[in-house]
Amino acid sequence: VIAHLDLDAFYASVELRRRPELVGRPVIVSGSGPRAVVTTATYEARAFGVHSAMPTTRARRLCPDAVLVPPDFDAYRRASSDVWSIVCEHIELVEQAGLDEGYLDLGELVAPKAAMRRLLADIRERTGLSASVGIGPNKLVAKVASDLEKPAGLVLLSREEACERFADASPGLVPGIGPRTTERLAALGLPTLRALREADPALLRAHFGENTGPHLQARAAFHGATELTLDRELKSQSSERTFDYDLADAQRQREILSGLARDLFERLERRGLRGRNVAIKVRLDDWTTVTRARTLERPCAAADELARLAVELLDAYAPARPVRLLGVRVGTFVADAQAPAPEAQLSLGL
DNA sequence: TCTGGGGTCCTATTGCCA
DNA sequence: TCTGTGGCAATAGGACCC
């Protein structure tokens, strides 16, 4: 038995907790630049059609009376850590899957629903935050169930019930099947989960590959992982920036990319991480996105070196149009005996 | 009127090597 | 010496998630 716990409108709720005068008003957590997007919106703002990832300019038009609050990720991290400490007092096996959601292995618990009710009450009492829980036989069913009666929902579902209940729903209901895949499935005459479940496996393999084809069909039947992933290792780290206005000047591009590289190196340093793969990302004004990468013999060991490599990659590509985004990424981390990655300690603490 | 930043994972392609 | 095949690693693009 697995539960998925999801905090309701998490970032917005943290903001409301310290600004109670805003309770009941539509609140949008978002940056303020011309190209900002919505991070989270309260349910009052969602009633106007506002949702995460929507351009903030559009959200303002939909809901002119909304209060805009800039994101404060340090505060969200602190609140998140409070919540997950409480969860860990109740349940032994916990997989945190982001600041605001995670999976709980309820094992052979006799009364899972009652246990989750107690947990939700405890979280609400001690943090003032509301969460929703879904309970099912695997992570997929649990996650879909947690979404059903948000906010403050508590839903238990078997795999068979999920199949029945969502037979006519769009494949996009399933996490992992996004807009692009939903569209391609519809074009193949598979507009529902039932159709996807009953489709010819060969057809799916032909269109989505040997792995993804069968995977899609399994998801449609609500088969999912029954084991939690307790110790995830970071695979890459990156830093990127979208400009308020497109940038055509090559020298300015180099300067900004160097700055991003130095920032990134500092963050890696703090975690004791060194990587062999260095990549840049360039998004042009027409939204074409290009990445260029290089793998080194030895891990990159200095901020200057990372900055130099990034600029070399940029010069080799030499963007032919104005640029709206620049980014740097480092991956393929190597084990470093002198500076063990703090992830190990983090998961022990959890 | 446009579309963030931080990530993970999958696939196709290409070059190298046995 | 030429050709085909399969494995592997690196690269690029893209879908998707919070």
Side-chain angles (χ1 to χ4, degrees):
Chain A
V1 180
I2 290 178
H4 180 255
L5 185 144
D6 198 328
L7 292 150
D8 301 324
F10 178 54
Y11 303 160
S13 302
V14 173
E15 297 297 344
L16 292 187
R17 206 170 53 162
R18 58 181 173 186
R19 302 171 69 172
E21 72 277 10
L22 296 181
V23 171
R25 296 199 54 187
V27 172
I28 296 172
V29 180
S30 153
S32 53
R35 286 172 168 173
V37 299
V38 174
T39 301
T40 326
T42 59
Y43 288 87
E44 286 82 357
R46 292 183 200 192
F48 289 83
V50 174
H51 57 78
S52 300
M54 170 185 284
T56 302
T57 49
R58 189 152 115 77
R60 296 205 76 147
R61 275 197 303 279
L62 287 172
C63 187
D65 294 333
V67 180
L68 243 64
V69 177
D72 176 359
F73 276 89
D74 286 335
Y76 310 149
R77 270 188 283 271
R78 283 195 299 272
S80 168
S81 145
D82 292 342
V83 169
W84 292 102
S85 303
I86 295 172
V87 174
C88 289
E89 290 176 19
H90 287 245
I91 302 295
E92 212 172 318
L93 297 176
V94 175
E95 172 185 347
Q96 211 185 314
L99 289 181
D100 70 333
E101 66 172 304
Y103 296 93
L104 286 54
D105 189 332
L106 304 188
E108 308 296 313
L109 220 58
V110 269
K113 215 168 172 178
M116 290 300 97
R117 224 187 297 280
R118 285 195 298 274
L119 172 58
L120 288 178
D122 200 15
I123 292 172
R124 179 181 289 278
E125 199 172 303
R126 291 161 68 185
T127 68
L129 297 167
S130 144
S132 297
V133 166
I135 302 173
N138 61 51
K139 286 161 84 170
L140 175 57
V141 173
K143 181 162 168 71
V144 169
S146 74
D147 225 37
L148 286 180
E149 290 177 19
K150 254 177 171 304
L154 178 53
V155 176
L156 196 146
L157 218 56
S158 72
R159 190 185 68 82
E160 292 76 10
E161 283 167 336
C163 282
E164 243 176 87
R165 184 155 173 182
F166 303 113
D168 296 315
S170 157
L173 178 111
V174 169
I177 304 182
R180 277 293 293 149
T181 307
T182 303
E183 208 178 303
R184 288 171 66 190
L185 288 169
L188 290 173
L190 306 172
T192 65
L193 284 171
R194 191 206 326 270
L196 176 54
R197 213 184 307 146
E198 293 170 356
D200 178 5
L203 176 80
L204 293 169
R205 263 200 301 274
H207 282 88
F208 294 94
E210 294 298 316
N211 257 314
T212 305
H215 179 75
L216 283 173
Q217 210 151 28
R219 303 289 280 183
F222 289 95
H223 289 292
T226 55
E227 306 247 324
L228 307 191
T229 311
L230 296 175
D231 40 11
R232 298 182 61 91
E233 263 177 37
L234 188 70
K235 305 238 168 132
S236 70
Q237 208 167 8
S238 63
S239 178
E240 66 185 48
R241 195 177 132 200
T242 295
F243 311 119
D244 287 349
Y245 303 97
D246 300 335
L247 195 64
D249 179 57
Q251 191 48 41
R252 274 299 286 152
Q253 292 170 5
R254 291 188 196 103
E255 289 165 13
I256 287 169
L257 196 62
S258 299
L260 289 169
R262 286 167 205 285
D263 278 1
L264 176 59
F265 189 84
E266 202 179 303
R267 282 163 52 203
L268 290 164
E269 191 88 307
R270 253 180 274 140
R271 294 218 205 193
L273 292 172
R274 300 226 160 139
R276 288 175 50 224
N277 187 270
V278 176
I280 63 160
K281 174 160 139 185
V282 182
R283 177 124 72 210
L284 306 178
D285 62 347
D286 65 356
W287 202 254
T288 51
T289 305
V290 168
T291 60
R292 289 293 182 266
R294 192 172 141 190
T295 299
L296 313 167
E297 205 91 8
R298 266 193 261 275
C300 180
D304 283 339
E305 188 191 2
L306 185 59
R308 183 174 50 76
L309 289 162
V311 168
E312 277 176 22
L313 288 166
L314 178 66
D315 284 341
Y317 170 58
R321 307 179 57 96
V323 163
R324 68 174 284 143
L325 172 150
L326 286 173
V328 198
R329 178 170 49 84
V330 171
T332 320
F333 299 132
V334 299
D336 185 340
Q338 295 171 324
E343 273 77 9
Q345 299 173 19
L346 233 177
S347 47
L348 268 176
L350 280 171

